[in-house]
Amino acid sequence: MSSETMKPTPRPGILDIAAYVPGKEHAPGVARVFKLSSNETPMGPSPKAVDAFKQSAGHLEIYPDGQAMALREAIAEVHGLNKANILCGNGSDELLGLLCHVYLGAGDEGIITEHGFLVYKIQIMGAGATPVVVKEKDCVIDVDAILAAVTEKTKIVFLANPGNPTGTYVPVSEIRRLHAGLPGNVILVLDAAYAEYVKRNDYQAGIELVSGSRNVVMTRTFSKVYGLAALRVGWAYAPLEIIDALDRVRGPFNMNAPAQAAGAAAVRDQDFVAMAVEHNLVWVEKVTTALTALGLKVTPSVANFVLIHFPDVDGKRAAEADDFLTSRGYILRAVRGYGFANSLRMTIGSEEANRGVIEALTEFLGRS
Ligand SMILES: *Cc1c(COP(=O)(O)O)cnc(C)c1O
C-alpha cells in the first residue's frame, strides 16, 4: 500500500464505543438555570477546600506530589484506613479505566448491569474486552443474575452501589453473597460514588469487604457530596497487590496539586458533609412524595437524585417533560442511554430548585 492510502487504525472495538454524553448544561434563552443533570451538590464545596485551592495557586510551577501523600493521609485518617491501600485518581473515572487497562484484554469479559454507569462499558471496551450486560430486577442489582453470567472469561464485575441512575442500593449481605460466589481471579469493583448519602443500617460502601479480600476494590469520589467535580478527585481502596499493579500504569502526576490540596481540606471537613447529607435526606423525601402525588412513579432513592418515570398516556413522555423543564430553566438528565426511554433523572438541588421542578411538573402534567 502506498503511504497515501495507509492510515492509523484504532484497535478492534474502539470505534464501536459510544462516547459518553455528559448531562446538559444550557437552557437557551432562560435567564436563571438550575443544573440538575449531573448529580452535583447544591451546597458547593467546603469553604476550607476553596481556601486550600486558592493557596495552591501560588505554586503552579511546581509538579504535584506524584504520591498524593497529604490527600491519602487525610482520607486514611478520616476513614480509618491504611494509606498504602489508597490510590488517588483524576476523578474515580480514571481509576475505573486503569482497572480495565490493567486487568482486561482481548477475549476477556467484564460484567455490568442493565442500568449501570456507562463509564464501565466504555472502559471495558477500551481495554479490548467484551461487556456482558446482566438484567436488574425492577431497578435493583440482581446478584443471582450476575453470578449466572460469570464464565471463565470473566475478569471484572462493576457495580455502582447505590446505582446511578436508579438510586437504589444492595445490602451488604447481598454484596457478600456475590463476592462469595465469584472466582478469586475476578475483581469485584464497588463504585460507592454516593456512599456518603446512604443512611441505612444494612448498607456498607465496601471498606470491610476490601479489607478481608484479595479481589475487591472500592472507588469513591469527591465529585458528589464534596462538591469538587470540577477538580477531578477520586480514590480507590484496594488490596496492596492491586494498588501496586495500577500504580505502574497510571500517569506519574495523575492528580493535579490544587485538586490534592482541596481534596485533603474537604475530607477533613466532615461537618460540612453532614450538613449536605442532611439537606439531601430532607429533600429526596419531599421531592419523592410530591412527584408521587402528581401520579409519577419515582424509584425510591438513597442517593442525591431521583429517577422519575413518566406514564405513557396523553403523549406526555419524558422527552416533552424534559423540554418543558428546560424552557423553565430546570435541566434534568435524559436517561435513554441507561435503558430508560420514558424517564428523567433529577439531581436534588437547592430548596428553590426542588420546589421549582415540582411546580413546573405540576403545570406540565395539568395541561391537556
Ligand atoms: C458521578 C459518578 C462517579 C464519579 O466520577 P468522578 O470521575 O469521580 O467524577 C463515579 N461513579 C458513578 C456511578 C457516578 O455516578
Side-chain angles (χ1 to χ4, degrees):
M1 268 194 282
S2 76
S3 59
E4 288 101 273
T5 58
M6 291 172 76
K7 58 172 188 169
T9 311
R11 274 188 286 108
I14 298 292
L15 298 183
D16 298 329
I17 296 173
Y20 187 81
V21 181
K24 263 196 302 191
E25 285 178 66
H26 302 291
V30 183
R32 188 109 190 273
V33 170
F34 296 91
K35 183 170 183 277
L36 307 172
S37 58
S38 299
N39 299 341
E40 294 138 337
T41 174
M43 301 299 175
S46 156
K48 291 174 183 166
V50 176
D51 281 349
F53 174 80
K54 285 181 179 162
Q55 276 182 33
S56 74
H59 314 281
L60 296 184
E61 73 284 9
I62 309 291
Y63 271 98
D65 173 6
Q67 305 298 320
M69 200 54 89
L71 174 58
R72 284 165 56 219
E73 273 168 6
I75 293 169
E77 240 176 80
V78 169
H79 289 274
L81 308 174
N82 182 345
K83 67 174 182 288
N85 293 88
I86 295 171
L87 179 65
C88 293
N90 190 39
S92 51
D93 285 350
E94 182 192 20
L95 301 164
L96 301 171
L98 273 175
L99 282 162
C100 290
H101 287 278
V102 168
Y103 288 96
L104 298 180
D108 291 335
E109 293 175 354
I111 294 180
I112 55 183
T113 64
E114 186 180 3
H115 307 299
F117 190 40
L118 288 173
V119 169
Y120 311 147
K121 185 176 183 184
I122 291 172
Q123 295 297 348
I124 290 168
M125 293 175 77
T130 305
V132 173
V133 184
V134 167
K135 284 270 179 216
E136 298 188 13
K137 249 192 204 157
D138 203 13
C139 295
V140 183
I141 283 165
D142 179 351
V143 164
D144 293 306
I146 293 174
L147 289 173
V150 174
T151 72
E152 67 223 20
K153 294 179 183 166
T154 307
K155 295 289 152 56
I156 201 160
V157 175
F158 280 107
L159 295 188
N161 195 26
N164 172 17
T166 58
T168 62
Y169 78 106
V170 192
V172 62
S173 55
E174 280 291 279
I175 300 286
R176 285 192 192 285
R177 192 163 73 79
L178 170 61
H179 179 243
L182 289 177
N185 67 328
V186 175
I187 295 186
L188 174 59
V189 180
L190 302 172
D191 177 349
Y194 302 95
E196 294 82 1
Y197 290 109
V198 189
K199 298 294 170 210
R200 298 293 174 96
N201 291 333
D202 58 353
Y203 173 80
Q204 283 180 14
I207 288 172
E208 292 80 359
L209 217 65
V210 171
S211 301
S213 83
R214 297 180 72 174
N215 64 332
V216 183
V217 175
M218 173 188 73
T219 60
R220 303 287 286 262
T221 183
F222 282 67
S223 300
K224 305 288 157 55
V225 78
Y226 288 104
L228 294 176
L231 287 183
R232 319 301 304 124
V233 185
W235 55 285
Y237 177 60
L240 291 180
E241 285 146 306
I242 294 179
I243 296 282
D244 173 64
L246 301 179
D247 235 345
R248 291 167 195 259
V249 176
R250 71 175 172 91
F253 305 104
N254 61 330
M255 271 204 80
N256 70 73
Q260 291 185 32
V267 76
R268 291 187 193 282
D269 192 354
Q270 288 297 313
D271 287 347
F272 185 86
V273 172
M275 184 267 296
V277 168
E278 182 55 32
H279 169 88
N280 188 66
L281 281 174
V282 168
W283 279 101
V284 169
E285 198 189 320
K286 286 191 181 181
V287 167
T288 303
T289 304
L291 298 185
T292 305
L294 290 178
L296 297 167
K297 187 170 170 252
V298 180
T299 302
S301 171
V302 294
N304 69 331
F305 54 87
V306 287
L307 186 61
I308 308 163
H309 308 278
F310 287 78
D312 222 340
V313 293
D314 302 322
K316 283 168 189 149
R317 301 175 55 90
E320 288 168 31
D322 194 15
D323 289 345
F324 184 83
L325 288 166
T326 300
S327 74
R328 301 289 162 106
Y330 303 104
I331 304 182
L332 275 62
R333 179 64 157 264
V335 282
R336 273 179 299 273
Y338 287 94
F340 295 105
N342 202 20
S343 311
L344 294 175
R345 190 193 67 195
M346 170 193 173
T347 304
I348 297 301
S350 63
E351 171 166 359
E352 185 186 4
N354 300 333
R355 290 196 192 282
V357 171
I358 293 165
E359 232 167 77
L361 280 175
T362 306
E363 189 185 333
F364 173 75
L365 292 167
R367 291 176 156 200
S368 51

